Amino acid sequence: MISTTRDANRFLRALLGGDVLRPAELAEMRRTVPTNDEFRANWPGARYGLGIMWVPNSCGGSWSHGGDIHGFRTRNDVTPDGTRSVVVSMNTDSFQRAPGVPAPAKDITIELIDHALCGGR
C-alpha cells in the first residue's frame, strides 16, 4: 500500500476499531500463529495473524503491519481497541553505520512506538 502516514494511521485505527470489517472477519484477522526465530529477534513474542501481527509491549500489546521498500521503512502499531496509534516512516538511505559501529540488535522503532502507545499510562 502506498499512503501517507496520516492515512495509514487513520486506516489502522478504523480497522482495529471495528469500522472496516464485520466482527467475525476482524476476529479471524486477530487469530495468530507464532512467528519464526528470525522475526522474533526483532519483535520478541510477536505473533502473526491475517495481515497484522500482535506485538507485546509495556502496556500489554498492539497490532501492527509495517513494511520496507528501497529507501523507506514504515512501522506502525495500534491499540487493540483502535483508540491509540502511531506510524513511523523513515528514510533508510541514510542508515550507513560508521566503521566499527555494530548493527542494532532489534528494530530501532520499538522503543519509540512503545513510548507513543504506552507512555503516561
Side-chain angles (χ1 to χ4, degrees), residues 61-78:
S62 56
W63 293 101
S64 177
H65 183 97
D68 300 341
I69 61 171
H70 294 292
F72 290 92
R73 175 176 294 161
T74 301
R75 299 293 182 258
N76 54 59
D77 281 74
V78 61

Side-chain angles (χ1 to χ4, degrees), residues 34-74:
T35 57
N36 63 27
D37 292 338
E38 183 179 345
F39 200 84
R40 283 191 306 271
N42 277 313
W43 295 280
R47 296 180 58 83
Y48 208 80
L50 292 175
I52 56 175
M53 71 175 177
W54 175 255
V55 181
N57 61 28
S58 67
C59 55
S62 56
W63 293 101
S64 177
H65 183 97
D68 300 341
I69 61 171
H70 294 292
F72 290 92
R73 175 176 294 161
T74 301

Side-chain angles (χ1 to χ4, degrees), residues 18-31:
D19 296 331
V20 176
L21 300 174
R22 293 184 299 245
E25 293 167 333
L26 182 56
E28 191 65 27
M29 280 188 83
R30 290 178 171 167
R31 189 171 10 182

